[in-house]
PDB file of all heavy atoms in Angstrom:
ATOM      1  N   THR B 233       7.266  33.214  19.165  1.00  0.00           N
ATOM      2  CA  THR B 233       7.050  31.796  19.433  1.00  0.00           C
ATOM      3  C   THR B 233       5.665  31.577  20.019  1.00  0.00           C
ATOM      4  O   THR B 233       5.260  32.267  20.967  1.00  0.00           O
ATOM      5  CB  THR B 233       8.113  31.247  20.400  1.00  0.00           C
ATOM      6  OG1 THR B 233       9.407  31.442  19.835  1.00  0.00           O
ATOM      7  CG2 THR B 233       7.897  29.762  20.669  1.00  0.00           C
ATOM      8  N   LEU B 234       4.948  30.623  19.430  1.00  0.00           N
ATOM      9  CA  LEU B 234       3.628  30.221  19.918  1.00  0.00           C
ATOM     10  C   LEU B 234       3.705  28.768  20.378  1.00  0.00           C
ATOM     11  O   LEU B 234       3.840  27.855  19.562  1.00  0.00           O
ATOM     12  CB  LEU B 234       2.580  30.365  18.803  1.00  0.00           C
ATOM     13  CG  LEU B 234       1.201  29.772  19.097  1.00  0.00           C
ATOM     14  CD1 LEU B 234       0.490  30.567  20.194  1.00  0.00           C
ATOM     15  CD2 LEU B 234       0.350  29.726  17.825  1.00  0.00           C
ATOM     16  N   PHE B 235       3.652  28.543  21.687  1.00  0.00           N
ATOM     17  CA  PHE B 235       3.552  27.195  22.222  1.00  0.00           C
ATOM     18  C   PHE B 235       2.084  26.771  22.204  1.00  0.00           C
ATOM     19  O   PHE B 235       1.216  27.518  22.663  1.00  0.00           O
ATOM     20  CB  PHE B 235       4.078  27.118  23.656  1.00  0.00           C
ATOM     21  CG  PHE B 235       5.568  27.208  23.784  1.00  0.00           C
ATOM     22  CD1 PHE B 235       6.185  28.439  23.942  1.00  0.00           C
ATOM     23  CD2 PHE B 235       6.357  26.062  23.765  1.00  0.00           C
ATOM     24  CE1 PHE B 235       7.564  28.536  24.075  1.00  0.00           C
ATOM     25  CE2 PHE B 235       7.731  26.152  23.887  1.00  0.00           C
ATOM     26  CZ  PHE B 235       8.346  27.380  24.052  1.00  0.00           C
ATOM     27  N   PHE B 236       1.828  25.566  21.698  1.00  0.00           N
ATOM     28  CA  PHE B 236       0.466  25.027  21.668  1.00  0.00           C
ATOM     29  C   PHE B 236       0.496  23.688  22.396  1.00  0.00           C
ATOM     30  O   PHE B 236       1.276  22.801  22.035  1.00  0.00           O
ATOM     31  CB  PHE B 236      -0.001  24.854  20.213  1.00  0.00           C
ATOM     32  CG  PHE B 236      -1.474  24.591  20.073  1.00  0.00           C
ATOM     33  CD1 PHE B 236      -2.386  25.629  20.149  1.00  0.00           C
ATOM     34  CD2 PHE B 236      -1.954  23.309  19.847  1.00  0.00           C
ATOM     35  CE1 PHE B 236      -3.754  25.402  20.017  1.00  0.00           C
ATOM     36  CE2 PHE B 236      -3.303  23.066  19.705  1.00  0.00           C
ATOM     37  CZ  PHE B 236      -4.217  24.111  19.789  1.00  0.00           C
ATOM     38  N   HIS B 237      -0.338  23.539  23.421  1.00  0.00           N
ATOM     39  CA  HIS B 237      -0.224  22.367  24.294  1.00  0.00           C
ATOM     40  C   HIS B 237      -1.610  21.938  24.762  1.00  0.00           C
ATOM     41  O   HIS B 237      -2.437  22.780  25.120  1.00  0.00           O
ATOM     42  CB  HIS B 237       0.631  22.737  25.518  1.00  0.00           C
ATOM     43  CG  HIS B 237       1.471  21.622  26.026  1.00  0.00           C
ATOM     44  ND1 HIS B 237       2.836  21.733  26.248  1.00  0.00           N
ATOM     45  CD2 HIS B 237       1.166  20.347  26.361  1.00  0.00           C
ATOM     46  CE1 HIS B 237       3.313  20.590  26.706  1.00  0.00           C
ATOM     47  NE2 HIS B 237       2.312  19.732  26.790  1.00  0.00           N
ATOM     48  N   GLY B 238      -1.860  20.639  24.773  1.00  0.00           N
ATOM     49  CA  GLY B 238      -3.089  20.119  25.340  1.00  0.00           C
ATOM     50  C   GLY B 238      -3.044  20.159  26.856  1.00  0.00           C
ATOM     51  O   GLY B 238      -2.033  19.794  27.465  1.00  0.00           O
ATOM     52  N   ASP B 239      -4.145  20.573  27.476  1.00  0.00           N
ATOM     53  CA  ASP B 239      -4.142  20.714  28.933  1.00  0.00           C
ATOM     54  C   ASP B 239      -4.142  19.375  29.655  1.00  0.00           C
ATOM     55  O   ASP B 239      -3.826  19.300  30.847  1.00  0.00           O
ATOM     56  CB  ASP B 239      -5.316  21.578  29.393  1.00  0.00           C
ATOM     57  CG  ASP B 239      -6.681  20.931  29.129  1.00  0.00           C
ATOM     58  OD1 ASP B 239      -6.768  20.022  28.273  1.00  0.00           O
ATOM     59  OD2 ASP B 239      -7.662  21.347  29.772  1.00  0.00           O
ATOM     60  N   LEU B 240      -4.471  18.288  28.946  1.00  0.00           N
ATOM     61  CA  LEU B 240      -4.494  16.958  29.553  1.00  0.00           C
ATOM     62  C   LEU B 240      -3.395  16.069  28.988  1.00  0.00           C
ATOM     63  O   LEU B 240      -3.509  14.843  29.016  1.00  0.00           O
ATOM     64  CB  LEU B 240      -5.870  16.308  29.332  1.00  0.00           C
ATOM     65  CG  LEU B 240      -7.071  17.060  29.907  1.00  0.00           C
ATOM     66  CD1 LEU B 240      -8.370  16.341  29.564  1.00  0.00           C
ATOM     67  CD2 LEU B 240      -6.950  17.230  31.419  1.00  0.00           C
ATOM     68  N   ASP B 241      -2.345  16.665  28.492  1.00  0.00           N
ATOM     69  CA  ASP B 241      -1.243  15.905  27.903  1.00  0.00           C
ATOM     70  C   ASP B 241      -0.635  14.971  28.957  1.00  0.00           C
ATOM     71  O   ASP B 241      -0.092  15.429  29.968  1.00  0.00           O
ATOM     72  CB  ASP B 241      -0.174  16.879  27.398  1.00  0.00           C
ATOM     73  CG  ASP B 241       0.905  16.190  26.569  1.00  0.00           C
ATOM     74  OD1 ASP B 241       1.120  14.981  26.726  1.00  0.00           O
ATOM     75  OD2 ASP B 241       1.542  16.898  25.762  1.00  0.00           O
ATOM     76  N   PRO B 242      -0.682  13.636  28.725  1.00  0.00           N
ATOM     77  CA  PRO B 242      -0.129  12.707  29.717  1.00  0.00           C
ATOM     78  C   PRO B 242       1.361  12.432  29.526  1.00  0.00           C
ATOM     79  O   PRO B 242       1.974  11.792  30.371  1.00  0.00           O
ATOM     80  CB  PRO B 242      -0.940  11.426  29.463  1.00  0.00           C
ATOM     81  CG  PRO B 242      -1.194  11.460  27.990  1.00  0.00           C
ATOM     82  CD  PRO B 242      -1.354  12.920  27.622  1.00  0.00           C
ATOM     83  N   LEU B 243       1.932  12.892  28.422  1.00  0.00           N
ATOM     84  CA  LEU B 243       3.325  12.574  28.107  1.00  0.00           C
ATOM     85  C   LEU B 243       4.278  13.718  28.452  1.00  0.00           C
ATOM     86  O   LEU B 243       5.364  13.501  29.011  1.00  0.00           O
ATOM     87  CB  LEU B 243       3.464  12.211  26.626  1.00  0.00           C
ATOM     88  CG  LEU B 243       2.650  11.001  26.154  1.00  0.00           C
ATOM     89  CD1 LEU B 243       2.919  10.732  24.687  1.00  0.00           C
ATOM     90  CD2 LEU B 243       2.964   9.769  26.983  1.00  0.00           C
ATOM     91  N   ILE B 244       3.915  14.932  28.078  1.00  0.00           N
ATOM     92  CA  ILE B 244       4.745  16.107  28.354  1.00  0.00           C
ATOM     93  C   ILE B 244       3.866  17.138  29.054  1.00  0.00           C
ATOM     94  O   ILE B 244       2.901  17.637  28.466  1.00  0.00           O
ATOM     95  CB  ILE B 244       5.344  16.685  27.063  1.00  0.00           C
ATOM     96  CG1 ILE B 244       6.263  15.650  26.397  1.00  0.00           C
ATOM     97  CG2 ILE B 244       6.109  17.973  27.349  1.00  0.00           C
ATOM     98  CD1 ILE B 244       6.849  16.088  25.083  1.00  0.00           C
ATOM     99  N   PRO B 245       4.159  17.456  30.302  1.00  0.00           N
ATOM    100  CA  PRO B 245       3.268  18.357  31.048  1.00  0.00           C
ATOM    101  C   PRO B 245       3.250  19.766  30.459  1.00  0.00           C
ATOM    102  O   PRO B 245       4.294  20.287  30.038  1.00  0.00           O
ATOM    103  CB  PRO B 245       3.860  18.358  32.464  1.00  0.00           C
ATOM    104  CG  PRO B 245       5.271  17.901  32.296  1.00  0.00           C
ATOM    105  CD  PRO B 245       5.291  16.985  31.117  1.00  0.00           C
ATOM    106  N   PRO B 246       2.081  20.394  30.408  1.00  0.00           N
ATOM    107  CA  PRO B 246       1.998  21.775  29.915  1.00  0.00           C
ATOM    108  C   PRO B 246       2.919  22.727  30.673  1.00  0.00           C
ATOM    109  O   PRO B 246       3.321  23.758  30.129  1.00  0.00           O
ATOM    110  CB  PRO B 246       0.522  22.136  30.128  1.00  0.00           C
ATOM    111  CG  PRO B 246      -0.195  20.825  30.129  1.00  0.00           C
ATOM    112  CD  PRO B 246       0.750  19.842  30.733  1.00  0.00           C
ATOM    113  N   ARG B 247       3.258  22.376  31.905  1.00  0.00           N
ATOM    114  CA  ARG B 247       4.178  23.212  32.691  1.00  0.00           C
ATOM    115  C   ARG B 247       5.480  23.463  31.945  1.00  0.00           C
ATOM    116  O   ARG B 247       6.062  24.546  32.050  1.00  0.00           O
ATOM    117  CB  ARG B 247       4.455  22.510  34.017  1.00  0.00           C
ATOM    118  CG  ARG B 247       5.511  23.161  34.893  1.00  0.00           C
ATOM    119  CD  ARG B 247       5.659  22.388  36.209  1.00  0.00           C
ATOM    120  NE  ARG B 247       6.729  22.941  37.027  1.00  0.00           N
ATOM    121  CZ  ARG B 247       7.986  22.541  36.968  1.00  0.00           C
ATOM    122  NH1 ARG B 247       8.339  21.586  36.111  1.00  0.00           N
ATOM    123  NH2 ARG B 247       8.904  23.085  37.751  1.00  0.00           N
ATOM    124  N   ASP B 248       5.963  22.478  31.169  1.00  0.00           N
ATOM    125  CA  ASP B 248       7.216  22.650  30.440  1.00  0.00           C
ATOM    126  C   ASP B 248       7.109  23.809  29.448  1.00  0.00           C
ATOM    127  O   ASP B 248       8.031  24.629  29.338  1.00  0.00           O
ATOM    128  CB  ASP B 248       7.580  21.361  29.696  1.00  0.00           C
ATOM    129  CG  ASP B 248       7.997  20.244  30.634  1.00  0.00           C
ATOM    130  OD1 ASP B 248       7.983  20.456  31.863  1.00  0.00           O
ATOM    131  OD2 ASP B 248       8.325  19.148  30.132  1.00  0.00           O
ATOM    132  N   SER B 249       6.000  23.867  28.720  1.00  0.00           N
ATOM    133  CA  SER B 249       5.817  24.958  27.757  1.00  0.00           C
ATOM    134  C   SER B 249       5.693  26.301  28.462  1.00  0.00           C
ATOM    135  O   SER B 249       6.231  27.322  28.008  1.00  0.00           O
ATOM    136  CB  SER B 249       4.582  24.698  26.888  1.00  0.00           C
ATOM    137  OG  SER B 249       4.807  23.639  25.982  1.00  0.00           O
ATOM    138  N   ARG B 250       4.988  26.327  29.597  1.00  0.00           N
ATOM    139  CA  ARG B 250       4.831  27.587  30.325  1.00  0.00           C
ATOM    140  C   ARG B 250       6.171  28.089  30.852  1.00  0.00           C
ATOM    141  O   ARG B 250       6.467  29.291  30.786  1.00  0.00           O
ATOM    142  CB  ARG B 250       3.825  27.414  31.462  1.00  0.00           C
ATOM    143  CG  ARG B 250       2.377  27.267  31.001  1.00  0.00           C
ATOM    144  CD  ARG B 250       1.420  27.501  32.149  1.00  0.00           C
ATOM    145  NE  ARG B 250       1.521  26.442  33.143  1.00  0.00           N
ATOM    146  CZ  ARG B 250       0.715  25.392  33.212  1.00  0.00           C
ATOM    147  NH1 ARG B 250      -0.258  25.260  32.321  1.00  0.00           N
ATOM    148  NH2 ARG B 250       0.863  24.487  34.155  1.00  0.00           N
ATOM    149  N   LEU B 251       6.988  27.183  31.390  1.00  0.00           N
ATOM    150  CA  LEU B 251       8.296  27.586  31.903  1.00  0.00           C
ATOM    151  C   LEU B 251       9.176  28.145  30.785  1.00  0.00           C
ATOM    152  O   LEU B 251       9.875  29.147  30.971  1.00  0.00           O
ATOM    153  CB  LEU B 251       8.989  26.395  32.565  1.00  0.00           C
ATOM    154  CG  LEU B 251       8.442  25.949  33.921  1.00  0.00           C
ATOM    155  CD1 LEU B 251       9.121  24.665  34.360  1.00  0.00           C
ATOM    156  CD2 LEU B 251       8.639  27.041  34.961  1.00  0.00           C
ATOM    157  N   ALA B 252       9.153  27.476  29.621  1.00  0.00           N
ATOM    158  CA  ALA B 252       9.972  27.944  28.507  1.00  0.00           C
ATOM    159  C   ALA B 252       9.506  29.313  28.022  1.00  0.00           C
ATOM    160  O   ALA B 252      10.318  30.226  27.804  1.00  0.00           O
ATOM    161  CB  ALA B 252       9.939  26.923  27.374  1.00  0.00           C
TER     162      ALA B 252
END
Side-chain angles (χ1 to χ4, degrees):
T233 301
L234 171 68
F235 287 90
F236 192 79
H237 214 128
D239 66 340
L240 300 178
D241 189 336
L243 300 182
I244 298 177
R247 173 178 176 270
D248 290 1
S249 289
R250 289 196 292 263
L251 287 173

